[in-house]
Amino acid sequence: MNDEKYAILSDYVDSLSDKKGALIEVLHKAQEIFKYLPNEVQNFIAEKLDIPLSKVYGVVTFYSYFATEPRGEYVINVCMGTACFVRGAASVLEEFQNRLNIKVGETTPDGKFTLEVLRCVGACGLAPVVTINDRVYGHFTKDQVPKVLAEYSE
């Protein structure tokens, strides 16, 4: 199965007309395919783009979007920016931690949920904000945690 994933990534890289400056684009594609970027994938990308592994690793570890450890099927992000924080994001985060029995940066044992925090999602008017994968929930309260978890547990 991994061979198939590497083949897809290889074809994608080969399809790029300009490989210089394509690192972030390739990393996004790789994370889409593999769901995270382990060392083996980073090494493969370095070889395909003919760049040092240190450069790949530097970009992966600099941007919080990229994950080097497996993530859950659903990645829950609680915004902890100033507007969200003052409007109760900490209690929302605490409720997710209690309900899922995990801490920030951890994944549930069944691989369903990963809990993370963001500094700011740029939707301060909707504070506090929670995102689950690509879905945004505004004006989120701790009372909504059980309901939203149930939606994703079905």
Side-chain angles (χ1 to χ4, degrees), residues 39-152:
N39 291 338
E40 305 81 40
V41 172
Q42 292 178 51
N43 194 46
F44 180 82
I45 291 168
E47 289 177 15
K48 285 295 285 183
L49 294 177
D50 193 29
I51 59 175
L53 177 59
S54 60
K55 183 173 183 177
V56 175
Y57 180 77
V59 171
V60 168
T61 56
F62 179 78
Y63 291 103
S64 62
Y65 172 82
F66 298 121
T68 57
E69 298 292 325
R71 297 164 99 186
E73 180 181 353
Y74 301 107
V75 179
I76 301 167
N77 279 292
V78 178
C79 180
M80 295 298 278
T82 303
C84 289
F85 185 80
V86 299
R87 290 190 177 107
S91 65
V92 170
L93 178 62
E94 184 178 357
E95 188 66 18
F96 273 116
Q97 290 180 125
N98 291 338
R99 296 273 177 172
L100 295 171
N101 198 28
I102 58 174
K103 291 179 173 37
V104 171
E106 295 180 345
T107 299
T108 55
D110 63 1
K112 194 87 164 171
F113 298 102
T114 296
L115 184 61
E116 297 181 349
V117 296
L118 295 173
R119 291 190 184 146
C120 182
V121 296
C124 303
L126 298 176
V129 174
V130 168
T131 65
I132 301 179
N133 292 355
D134 294 327
R135 190 164 175 197
V136 178
Y137 295 87
H139 307 292
F140 204 88
T141 66
K142 72 177 191 173
D143 296 336
Q144 292 172 276
V145 171
K147 183 179 179 218
V148 79
L149 287 176
E151 283 177 34
Y152 289 93

Side-chain angles (χ1 to χ4, degrees), residues 12 16 18 21-30 66:
Y12 176 77
L16 296 172
D18 182 21
L23 177 56
I24 290 180
E25 184 179 346
V26 171
L27 289 170
H28 276 280
K29 186 65 172 181
F66 298 121

